[in-house]
Amino acid sequence: MKKSIMVPAVLIIAAMFASIAFAADATKIGVINFEKILQESSPGKVMQKELKAKRDQLQGKFQAEGKKFEDMNAALEREALVLSAEKKLERQRELRDKADDLKKMNADYTQEMQILQNKRINQIQKDIFDITNKIGTAKGYILIIEKNRAGVIYAADKVDITDEVIKEYNSIYAKKK
């Protein structure tokens, strides 16, 4: 009796494992690395150049204002002995106002750069999602995840489709230009 129950049970279990093994071949999972796409794709490189140009422009303005502040401070130090107490207080107040203006300018520029960077990254991310959906549908992937944000600890190189996404993104970008 035990043999008659054991044989079908073993066959059922073997059939379950066999179906899982066959299903594993059909399961396609892909991984992309968004940071790599930002660094190596044409749109990512253009974004980096734009951000660097804007950062340099804002830094130039900030440094020019910083130079004015330093000049005002140096002038006050030179003339401190010959200025009346009232004029000295007025110049010190001007310096404090200028320092406050510099702090506000720095905060504004930082915020402006952050907004610009987020805007560009969000656009690239939207484009990458569209491309990834297209590739996933065309090639039968059941899942494509972003390597860094998804918390992937290990992914085999054969499931990494980042280079394919970059290639497709570059070709779409070249057609738009």
Side-chain angles (χ1 to χ4, degrees):
M1 179 87 176
K2 285 187 178 183
K3 282 186 180 180
S4 62
I5 293 175
M6 288 293 282
V7 172
V10 170
L11 289 174
I12 291 171
I13 292 172
M16 286 180 5
F17 283 117
S19 66
I20 291 171
F22 286 118
D25 290 339
T27 303
K28 287 181 79 175
I29 296 175
V31 176
I32 63 168
N33 185 337
F34 190 69
E35 293 298 322
K36 183 177 178 182
I37 293 170
L38 284 177
Q39 292 172 357
E40 296 181 11
S41 70
S42 296
K45 290 177 182 177
V46 168
M47 178 200 72
Q48 290 174 10
K49 283 182 184 177
E50 288 175 354
L51 290 176
K52 184 181 181 322
K54 185 67 172 178
R55 184 173 36 254
D56 291 346
Q57 175 195 8
L58 295 178
Q59 266 184 339
K61 289 180 182 179
F62 184 74
Q63 287 174 348
E65 290 299 317
K67 178 78 169 111
K68 287 180 186 176
F69 175 77
E70 290 173 9
D71 292 345
M72 287 174 64
N73 193 26
L76 177 62
E77 287 177 8
R78 278 193 315 267
E79 299 169 358
L81 295 175
V82 294
L83 288 175
S84 66
E86 185 179 304
K87 277 285 193 186
K88 192 175 182 181
L89 286 174
E90 182 181 330
R91 293 262 183 99
Q92 288 173 341
R93 191 174 329 114
E94 287 174 5
L95 274 174
R96 280 193 304 272
D97 290 346
K98 190 69 168 173
D100 290 343
D101 290 346
L102 283 172
K103 286 179 187 176
K104 184 179 181 329
M105 180 185 283
N106 188 31
D108 290 346
Y109 287 170
T110 302
Q111 183 180 13
E112 185 177 342
M113 284 301 300
Q114 191 67 43
I115 289 169
L116 183 62
Q117 182 177 7
N118 287 343
K119 182 180 173 185
R120 297 285 195 267
I121 287 176
N122 287 340
Q123 180 59 48
I124 290 174
Q125 198 170 35
K126 180 187 172 298
D127 294 343
I128 295 303
F129 287 164
D130 293 343
I131 291 167
T132 306
N133 283 330
K134 181 177 143 185
I135 290 172
T137 303
K139 297 200 174 185
Y141 285 94
I142 64 162
L143 179 68
I144 298 176
I145 57 177
E146 202 286 319
K147 188 174 187 175
N148 297 329
R149 293 192 182 130
V152 175
I153 296 171
Y154 170 77
D157 289 339
K158 67 181 182 178
V159 298
D160 191 335
I161 61 169
T162 303
D163 293 332
E164 183 178 351
V165 172
I166 291 172
K167 183 179 175 185
E168 180 70 21
Y169 196 22
N170 288 344
S171 69
I172 291 171
Y173 184 74
K175 289 175 187 175
K176 285 182 181 180
K177 277 191 143 187

